Amino acid sequence: MRFSIRHFPLKTRMVLILGLIALLQTGALGLFALHYLSSSLQEQMGERALHVAKTIAAIPQIIEAVETRNSAVLQPIAQSLAEKTQARFVVIGDSNGLRLAHPNQERLGLSMSEDDDDDLSPTLVQGLAQVTRAEGSLGRSMRARAPIFDTDGNKIIGIVSVGYLLDRVETLVDRYRLTLALVILGAFGFSVLTAIWFAGHFKKAIFGLEPEQIGRLFQERDATLQSVREGIIAINAEGLITTVNHAACRMLGLPRDSTLTGTPIQHLFPDTRMLEVLTNDTPQFDQEVRVGELQFIVNRLPLHQGDRITGVVSSFRRKDELDLLSRQLTRIRQYADSLRSQAHEYSNKLHTIAGLIQIGATDEALNLIGQETRDHQALIHLLVEAVPDPILAGCLLGKYNRARELGLMLTIDPDSQMVDLPPELPREKLVSIIGNLLDNAFEATLNHGGPQQAVTLSMTDLGNDLIFEIEDRGPGISPEDQQRIFAKGTTSKSEPGHGLGLHLVSTQLQQLGGTITIEPGTPSGSRITIYIPKHPGGMHD
């Protein structure tokens, strides 16, 4: 199996990488320092040798002895000068390059050019002083050569070579090499300790996750964001967009490949309240917002890291989608109420019919069945003709069965007509208003007038308003109570959970731009009339 550093945990990887980087850096710096030190020392040694060589070449005693080729005089002087200048050797030659003074007397009289096949002409012919590094008869050295002129200074009569062996440089460099090795090891150890601390701190910041786990979580989060049907937009603490999912682009009419990340949120929504949440750290739920011609239901939540606000995330959905869900829920609820009431009522009727058959009263059983059929057929025929809207018709059918279940009668005026319902009128609000008013009428009639009493409903869509009139046989509503019955929590019952129906009716009527009136009934009870304008301008969302 092929080795890969990814097989190690993040902490181990960071220690290895940071330690290796530190080792390479300090190693490279150490090699450079050693090379620079060696070069500098050699250069200094060469300059010193050149200075000594020029000084010796200018000594009168040396000039006189070279002119006479007196090695007996030159040999001790050369050795003495070498000791005083700490040079490894001082060699003096004549104009032909033959040695007149040398640390090894056996080499006297031999040519100086035998050392590394040196060319002496630049010094003996051209009179140039030079520094070279070569392998001479005494070892590797930095040596300098200077010409010896006669007393008049016009003629080259000899040459001086001064050398310093490079073993001293190597010894000094070796001493520094050990020091640098210790420094490199110390820097490596410090880097490892720093890497361990930093890796632990970094792992804590990313909740102990490995990079591969973070990448997988990011992919899962992105897939989750793109799969939800709600639009999602997130901003950071600077108000810059960090996340936009596909649903948000679709709802706002933005192309999916649009690059919005890093864009200020004000550029997309000039009147956004996300910055307000970012400032006051207060979440906002179910806020209605209009963007162009569209209305959205928006939630905004602040994001925290410790006690610091790091951003805001906003989720939103088109209001018409929520209205559709609400209408579907209302329709299902109406169907459920209708089925429950019918099941209860027909159960009672079936028990009655079964009892009549058991006692032999078959004629009465047939009459009861016929009467039940005629009543329902008449109601259904009336609803089909007068109320073609299935939601409103279903609501009325359910309330009709509910009234019979309570022992009451819901009478719908045969002259009623409700066919001109505006398409934009929210059906769930309409059936909620009618249903609450009928429930209150049933309760008032049952508590005051007893069973077998009638509650009357009449409807008309003539003119510019939809008019619904409900008359009960209850105790009536005094003028004083008419001013407060629509307040939230106002009720004549002692049980908790009441006092919401009429308040809801009042609220929804205001949203539809409608009004409500209360009058005494005939001969008793109350007559409640509601007016809902057909024109869409009368509705307030």
mmCIF file of all heavy atoms in Angstrom, residues 479-517:
data_model
loop_
_atom_site.group_PDB
_atom_site.id
_atom_site.type_symbol
_atom_site.label_atom_id
_atom_site.label_comp_id
_atom_site.label_asym_id
_atom_site.label_seq_id
_atom_site.Cartn_x
_atom_site.Cartn_y
_atom_site.Cartn_z
ATOM 1 N N PRO A 479 -76.065 46.752 23.974
ATOM 2 C CA PRO A 479 -75.180 47.735 23.326
ATOM 3 C C PRO A 479 -73.833 47.870 24.029
ATOM 4 O O PRO A 479 -72.808 48.106 23.384
ATOM 5 C CB PRO A 479 -75.985 49.033 23.405
ATOM 6 C CG PRO A 479 -77.405 48.587 23.477
ATOM 7 C CD PRO A 479 -77.393 47.316 24.265
ATOM 8 N N GLU A 480 -73.819 47.713 25.366
ATOM 9 C CA GLU A 480 -72.541 47.791 26.079
ATOM 10 C C GLU A 480 -71.617 46.635 25.701
ATOM 11 O O GLU A 480 -70.409 46.830 25.487
ATOM 12 C CB GLU A 480 -72.772 47.788 27.592
ATOM 13 C CG GLU A 480 -73.510 49.002 28.126
ATOM 14 C CD GLU A 480 -75.024 48.902 27.885
ATOM 15 O OE1 GLU A 480 -75.478 47.793 27.478
ATOM 16 O OE2 GLU A 480 -75.730 49.902 28.067
ATOM 17 N N ASP A 481 -72.181 45.417 25.587
ATOM 18 C CA ASP A 481 -71.361 44.252 25.239
ATOM 19 C C ASP A 481 -70.895 44.303 23.790
ATOM 20 O O ASP A 481 -69.852 43.734 23.458
ATOM 21 C CB ASP A 481 -72.143 42.965 25.483
ATOM 22 C CG ASP A 481 -72.356 42.688 26.963
ATOM 23 O OD1 ASP A 481 -71.571 43.233 27.767
ATOM 24 O OD2 ASP A 481 -73.291 41.951 27.309
ATOM 25 N N GLN A 482 -71.658 44.964 22.929
ATOM 26 C CA GLN A 482 -71.273 45.025 21.530
ATOM 27 C C GLN A 482 -69.938 45.752 21.334
ATOM 28 O O GLN A 482 -69.247 45.545 20.335
ATOM 29 C CB GLN A 482 -72.360 45.735 20.709
ATOM 30 C CG GLN A 482 -73.653 44.950 20.596
ATOM 31 C CD GLN A 482 -74.703 45.698 19.774
ATOM 32 O OE1 GLN A 482 -74.384 46.641 19.047
ATOM 33 N NE2 GLN A 482 -75.959 45.276 19.894
ATOM 34 N N GLN A 483 -69.574 46.621 22.300
ATOM 35 C CA GLN A 483 -68.328 47.373 22.177
ATOM 36 C C GLN A 483 -67.100 46.568 22.599
ATOM 37 O O GLN A 483 -65.980 46.930 22.268
ATOM 38 C CB GLN A 483 -68.420 48.650 23.035
ATOM 39 C CG GLN A 483 -69.589 49.548 22.669
ATOM 40 C CD GLN A 483 -69.504 50.030 21.235
ATOM 41 O OE1 GLN A 483 -68.413 50.319 20.735
ATOM 42 N NE2 GLN A 483 -70.643 50.123 20.559
ATOM 43 N N ARG A 484 -67.320 45.455 23.324
ATOM 44 C CA ARG A 484 -66.158 44.755 23.878
ATOM 45 C C ARG A 484 -66.081 43.270 23.537
ATOM 46 O O ARG A 484 -65.081 42.620 23.834
ATOM 47 C CB ARG A 484 -66.151 44.892 25.405
ATOM 48 C CG ARG A 484 -67.359 44.302 26.083
ATOM 49 C CD ARG A 484 -67.332 44.558 27.591
ATOM 50 N NE ARG A 484 -68.435 43.905 28.283
ATOM 51 C CZ ARG A 484 -68.390 42.654 28.710
ATOM 52 N NH1 ARG A 484 -67.319 41.926 28.514
ATOM 53 N NH2 ARG A 484 -69.434 42.130 29.339
ATOM 54 N N ILE A 485 -67.102 42.723 22.872
ATOM 55 C CA ILE A 485 -67.079 41.274 22.627
ATOM 56 C C ILE A 485 -65.991 40.871 21.623
ATOM 57 O O ILE A 485 -65.597 39.705 21.563
ATOM 58 C CB ILE A 485 -68.456 40.777 22.127
ATOM 59 C CG1 ILE A 485 -68.826 41.520 20.839
ATOM 60 C CG2 ILE A 485 -69.502 40.906 23.203
ATOM 61 C CD1 ILE A 485 -70.089 40.970 20.205
ATOM 62 N N PHE A 486 -65.514 41.860 20.849
ATOM 63 C CA PHE A 486 -64.488 41.521 19.863
ATOM 64 C C PHE A 486 -63.065 41.673 20.413
ATOM 65 O O PHE A 486 -62.101 41.400 19.700
ATOM 66 C CB PHE A 486 -64.639 42.395 18.616
ATOM 67 C CG PHE A 486 -65.925 42.150 17.880
ATOM 68 C CD1 PHE A 486 -66.963 43.071 17.942
ATOM 69 C CD2 PHE A 486 -66.110 40.991 17.153
ATOM 70 C CE1 PHE A 486 -68.152 42.839 17.271
ATOM 71 C CE2 PHE A 486 -67.301 40.754 16.473
ATOM 72 C CZ PHE A 486 -68.327 41.680 16.534
ATOM 73 N N ALA A 487 -62.967 42.086 21.671
ATOM 74 C CA ALA A 487 -61.644 42.184 22.285
ATOM 75 C C ALA A 487 -61.135 40.786 22.622
ATOM 76 O O ALA A 487 -61.906 39.893 22.975
ATOM 77 C CB ALA A 487 -61.695 43.049 23.550
ATOM 78 N N LYS A 488 -59.816 40.598 22.507
ATOM 79 C CA LYS A 488 -59.232 39.289 22.759
ATOM 80 C C LYS A 488 -59.401 38.890 24.218
ATOM 81 O O LYS A 488 -59.101 39.656 25.127
ATOM 82 C CB LYS A 488 -57.738 39.315 22.406
ATOM 83 C CG LYS A 488 -57.061 37.951 22.492
ATOM 84 C CD LYS A 488 -55.618 38.049 22.019
ATOM 85 C CE LYS A 488 -54.943 36.679 22.066
ATOM 86 N NZ LYS A 488 -53.542 36.743 21.600
ATOM 87 N N GLY A 489 -59.944 37.664 24.452
ATOM 88 C CA GLY A 489 -60.112 37.148 25.800
ATOM 89 C C GLY A 489 -61.461 37.449 26.414
ATOM 90 O O GLY A 489 -61.773 36.944 27.498
ATOM 91 N N THR A 490 -62.292 38.260 25.739
ATOM 92 C CA THR A 490 -63.615 38.582 26.288
ATOM 93 C C THR A 490 -64.556 37.406 26.065
ATOM 94 O O THR A 490 -64.746 36.949 24.936
ATOM 95 C CB THR A 490 -64.194 39.830 25.620
ATOM 96 O OG1 THR A 490 -63.303 40.921 25.850
ATOM 97 C CG2 THR A 490 -65.564 40.152 26.194
ATOM 98 N N THR A 491 -65.171 36.878 27.138
ATOM 99 C CA THR A 491 -66.077 35.742 27.043
ATOM 100 C C THR A 491 -66.976 35.712 28.253
ATOM 101 O O THR A 491 -66.657 36.281 29.314
ATOM 102 C CB THR A 491 -65.292 34.424 26.925
ATOM 103 O OG1 THR A 491 -66.220 33.338 26.858
ATOM 104 C CG2 THR A 491 -64.388 34.206 28.124
ATOM 105 N N SER A 492 -68.117 35.052 28.094
ATOM 106 C CA SER A 492 -69.045 34.872 29.217
ATOM 107 C C SER A 492 -68.829 33.541 29.908
ATOM 108 O O SER A 492 -69.528 33.210 30.858
ATOM 109 C CB SER A 492 -70.498 34.954 28.708
ATOM 110 O OG SER A 492 -70.727 33.939 27.738
ATOM 111 N N LYS A 493 -67.848 32.748 29.447
ATOM 112 C CA LYS A 493 -67.599 31.422 30.002
ATOM 113 C C LYS A 493 -66.452 31.498 30.995
ATOM 114 O O LYS A 493 -65.549 32.313 30.856
ATOM 115 C CB LYS A 493 -67.248 30.428 28.879
ATOM 116 C CG LYS A 493 -68.305 30.397 27.769
ATOM 117 C CD LYS A 493 -67.859 29.529 26.630
ATOM 118 C CE LYS A 493 -68.849 29.600 25.476
ATOM 119 N NZ LYS A 493 -68.876 30.929 24.868
ATOM 120 N N SER A 494 -66.515 30.626 31.977
ATOM 121 C CA SER A 494 -65.479 30.608 33.011
ATOM 122 C C SER A 494 -64.308 29.704 32.639
ATOM 123 O O SER A 494 -63.234 29.818 33.209
ATOM 124 C CB SER A 494 -66.079 30.132 34.349
ATOM 125 O OG SER A 494 -66.658 28.835 34.193
ATOM 126 N N GLU A 495 -64.532 28.772 31.678
ATOM 127 C CA GLU A 495 -63.447 27.862 31.314
ATOM 128 C C GLU A 495 -62.365 28.605 30.528
ATOM 129 O O GLU A 495 -62.647 29.510 29.768
ATOM 130 C CB GLU A 495 -63.976 26.697 30.461
ATOM 131 C CG GLU A 495 -65.002 25.833 31.171
ATOM 132 C CD GLU A 495 -66.414 26.396 31.013
ATOM 133 O OE1 GLU A 495 -66.531 27.503 30.453
ATOM 134 O OE2 GLU A 495 -67.357 25.743 31.461
ATOM 135 N N PRO A 496 -61.100 28.203 30.704
ATOM 136 C CA PRO A 496 -60.027 28.833 29.932
ATOM 137 C C PRO A 496 -60.090 28.405 28.462
ATOM 138 O O PRO A 496 -60.685 27.394 28.113
ATOM 139 C CB PRO A 496 -58.753 28.297 30.606
ATOM 140 C CG PRO A 496 -59.156 26.993 31.226
ATOM 141 C CD PRO A 496 -60.591 27.174 31.652
ATOM 142 N N GLY A 497 -59.468 29.214 27.597
ATOM 143 C CA GLY A 497 -59.401 28.885 26.183
ATOM 144 C C GLY A 497 -60.499 29.509 25.363
ATOM 145 O O GLY A 497 -60.587 29.258 24.154
ATOM 146 N N HIS A 498 -61.366 30.316 25.956
ATOM 147 C CA HIS A 498 -62.443 30.978 25.214
ATOM 148 C C HIS A 498 -62.091 32.449 25.018
ATOM 149 O O HIS A 498 -61.116 32.956 25.551
ATOM 150 C CB HIS A 498 -63.767 30.843 25.962
ATOM 151 C CG HIS A 498 -64.248 29.411 26.059
ATOM 152 N ND1 HIS A 498 -64.878 28.772 25.034
ATOM 153 C CD2 HIS A 498 -64.143 28.508 27.078
ATOM 154 C CE1 HIS A 498 -65.171 27.535 25.404
ATOM 155 N NE2 HIS A 498 -64.740 27.342 26.650
ATOM 156 N N GLY A 499 -62.935 33.144 24.235
ATOM 157 C CA GLY A 499 -62.727 34.569 23.996
ATOM 158 C C GLY A 499 -61.820 34.856 22.823
ATOM 159 O O GLY A 499 -61.310 35.966 22.702
ATOM 160 N N LEU A 500 -61.615 33.861 21.934
ATOM 161 C CA LEU A 500 -60.729 34.058 20.794
ATOM 162 C C LEU A 500 -61.476 34.103 19.471
ATOM 163 O O LEU A 500 -60.987 34.700 18.514
ATOM 164 C CB LEU A 500 -59.675 32.933 20.738
ATOM 165 C CG LEU A 500 -58.735 32.822 21.943
ATOM 166 C CD1 LEU A 500 -57.832 31.607 21.793
ATOM 167 C CD2 LEU A 500 -57.920 34.092 22.101
ATOM 168 N N GLY A 501 -62.665 33.452 19.395
ATOM 169 C CA GLY A 501 -63.379 33.332 18.135
ATOM 170 C C GLY A 501 -63.775 34.664 17.537
ATOM 171 O O GLY A 501 -63.463 34.962 16.377
ATOM 172 N N LEU A 502 -64.472 35.516 18.309
ATOM 173 C CA LEU A 502 -64.912 36.806 17.788
ATOM 174 C C LEU A 502 -63.743 37.755 17.568
ATOM 175 O O LEU A 502 -63.788 38.596 16.666
ATOM 176 C CB LEU A 502 -65.943 37.426 18.747
ATOM 177 C CG LEU A 502 -67.307 36.711 18.797
ATOM 178 C CD1 LEU A 502 -68.228 37.387 19.796
ATOM 179 C CD2 LEU A 502 -67.952 36.688 17.411
ATOM 180 N N HIS A 503 -62.720 37.647 18.399
ATOM 181 C CA HIS A 503 -61.521 38.460 18.161
ATOM 182 C C HIS A 503 -60.879 38.076 16.828
ATOM 183 O O HIS A 503 -60.448 38.952 16.052
ATOM 184 C CB HIS A 503 -60.527 38.252 19.303
ATOM 185 C CG HIS A 503 -59.189 38.885 19.042
ATOM 186 N ND1 HIS A 503 -58.996 40.248 19.057
ATOM 187 C CD2 HIS A 503 -57.974 38.329 18.722
ATOM 188 C CE1 HIS A 503 -57.736 40.517 18.776
ATOM 189 N NE2 HIS A 503 -57.095 39.369 18.561
ATOM 190 N N LEU A 504 -60.837 36.778 16.521
ATOM 191 C CA LEU A 504 -60.295 36.328 15.239
ATOM 192 C C LEU A 504 -61.155 36.820 14.092
ATOM 193 O O LEU A 504 -60.629 37.232 13.045
ATOM 194 C CB LEU A 504 -60.200 34.800 15.239
ATOM 195 C CG LEU A 504 -59.627 34.150 13.973
ATOM 196 C CD1 LEU A 504 -58.200 34.616 13.738
ATOM 197 C CD2 LEU A 504 -59.680 32.626 14.073
ATOM 198 N N VAL A 505 -62.483 36.788 14.268
ATOM 199 C CA VAL A 505 -63.392 37.295 13.238
ATOM 200 C C VAL A 505 -63.102 38.768 12.955
ATOM 201 O O VAL A 505 -63.004 39.198 11.797
ATOM 202 C CB VAL A 505 -64.857 37.097 13.669
ATOM 203 C CG1 VAL A 505 -65.801 37.877 12.743
ATOM 204 C CG2 VAL A 505 -65.225 35.625 13.656
ATOM 205 N N SER A 506 -62.968 39.564 14.013
ATOM 206 C CA SER A 506 -62.717 40.991 13.848
ATOM 207 C C SER A 506 -61.382 41.241 13.139
ATOM 208 O O SER A 506 -61.289 42.078 12.232
ATOM 209 C CB SER A 506 -62.725 41.677 15.215
ATOM 210 O OG SER A 506 -62.387 43.035 15.097
ATOM 211 N N THR A 507 -60.355 40.492 13.544
ATOM 212 C CA THR A 507 -59.027 40.667 12.937
ATOM 213 C C THR A 507 -59.046 40.315 11.456
ATOM 214 O O THR A 507 -58.511 41.055 10.609
ATOM 215 C CB THR A 507 -58.001 39.797 13.669
ATOM 216 O OG1 THR A 507 -57.967 40.161 15.057
ATOM 217 C CG2 THR A 507 -56.613 39.965 13.075
ATOM 218 N N GLN A 508 -59.658 39.206 11.113
ATOM 219 C CA GLN A 508 -59.671 38.783 9.711
ATOM 220 C C GLN A 508 -60.538 39.698 8.861
ATOM 221 O O GLN A 508 -60.229 39.945 7.692
ATOM 222 C CB GLN A 508 -60.143 37.336 9.622
ATOM 223 C CG GLN A 508 -59.139 36.355 10.220
ATOM 224 C CD GLN A 508 -59.627 34.926 10.200
ATOM 225 O OE1 GLN A 508 -60.833 34.671 10.264
ATOM 226 N NE2 GLN A 508 -58.701 33.979 10.131
ATOM 227 N N LEU A 509 -61.613 40.220 9.432
ATOM 228 C CA LEU A 509 -62.429 41.181 8.684
ATOM 229 C C LEU A 509 -61.634 42.451 8.383
ATOM 230 O O LEU A 509 -61.749 43.019 7.288
ATOM 231 C CB LEU A 509 -63.698 41.521 9.476
ATOM 232 C CG LEU A 509 -64.900 40.594 9.280
ATOM 233 C CD1 LEU A 509 -66.044 41.006 10.191
ATOM 234 C CD2 LEU A 509 -65.372 40.598 7.832
ATOM 235 N N GLN A 510 -60.851 42.905 9.333
ATOM 236 C CA GLN A 510 -60.005 44.074 9.085
ATOM 237 C C GLN A 510 -59.008 43.803 7.968
ATOM 238 O O GLN A 510 -58.758 44.669 7.116
ATOM 239 C CB GLN A 510 -59.268 44.460 10.372
ATOM 240 C CG GLN A 510 -60.173 45.034 11.452
ATOM 241 C CD GLN A 510 -59.397 45.358 12.713
ATOM 242 O OE1 GLN A 510 -58.183 45.211 12.760
ATOM 243 N NE2 GLN A 510 -60.095 45.797 13.751
ATOM 244 N N GLN A 511 -58.437 42.602 7.951
ATOM 245 C CA GLN A 511 -57.503 42.256 6.885
ATOM 246 C C GLN A 511 -58.185 42.234 5.522
ATOM 247 O O GLN A 511 -57.560 42.538 4.503
ATOM 248 C CB GLN A 511 -56.868 40.898 7.184
ATOM 249 C CG GLN A 511 -55.975 40.902 8.418
ATOM 250 C CD GLN A 511 -55.478 39.511 8.771
ATOM 251 O OE1 GLN A 511 -55.925 38.516 8.203
ATOM 252 N NE2 GLN A 511 -54.560 39.434 9.724
ATOM 253 N N LEU A 512 -59.468 41.858 5.493
ATOM 254 C CA LEU A 512 -60.218 41.821 4.232
ATOM 255 C C LEU A 512 -60.879 43.154 3.917
ATOM 256 O O LEU A 512 -61.537 43.281 2.873
ATOM 257 C CB LEU A 512 -61.278 40.718 4.283
ATOM 258 C CG LEU A 512 -60.748 39.285 4.451
ATOM 259 C CD1 LEU A 512 -61.912 38.300 4.569
ATOM 260 C CD2 LEU A 512 -59.854 38.901 3.293
ATOM 261 N N GLY A 513 -60.738 44.123 4.800
ATOM 262 C CA GLY A 513 -61.360 45.424 4.579
ATOM 263 C C GLY A 513 -62.863 45.413 4.838
ATOM 264 O O GLY A 513 -63.581 46.290 4.345
ATOM 265 N N GLY A 514 -63.351 44.434 5.610
ATOM 266 C CA GLY A 514 -64.790 44.290 5.862
ATOM 267 C C GLY A 514 -65.235 44.955 7.148
ATOM 268 O O GLY A 514 -64.431 45.469 7.931
ATOM 269 N N THR A 515 -66.547 44.924 7.367
ATOM 270 C CA THR A 515 -67.166 45.491 8.580
ATOM 271 C C THR A 515 -68.191 44.509 9.120
ATOM 272 O O THR A 515 -68.616 43.569 8.424
ATOM 273 C CB THR A 515 -67.850 46.838 8.281
ATOM 274 O OG1 THR A 515 -68.841 46.642 7.256
ATOM 275 C CG2 THR A 515 -66.829 47.873 7.834
ATOM 276 N N ILE A 516 -68.621 44.723 10.366
ATOM 277 C CA ILE A 516 -69.604 43.865 11.018
ATOM 278 C C ILE A 516 -70.585 44.725 11.806
ATOM 279 O O ILE A 516 -70.201 45.739 12.402
ATOM 280 C CB ILE A 516 -68.897 42.832 11.931
ATOM 281 C CG1 ILE A 516 -69.912 41.843 12.526
ATOM 282 C CG2 ILE A 516 -68.106 43.527 13.036
ATOM 283 C CD1 ILE A 516 -69.224 40.663 13.221
ATOM 284 N N THR A 517 -71.829 44.355 11.767
ATOM 285 C CA THR A 517 -72.877 45.062 12.534
ATOM 286 C C THR A 517 -73.652 44.044 13.350
ATOM 287 O O THR A 517 -73.768 42.873 12.961
ATOM 288 C CB THR A 517 -73.831 45.811 11.608
ATOM 289 O OG1 THR A 517 -74.513 44.882 10.761
ATOM 290 C CG2 THR A 517 -73.078 46.825 10.756
#
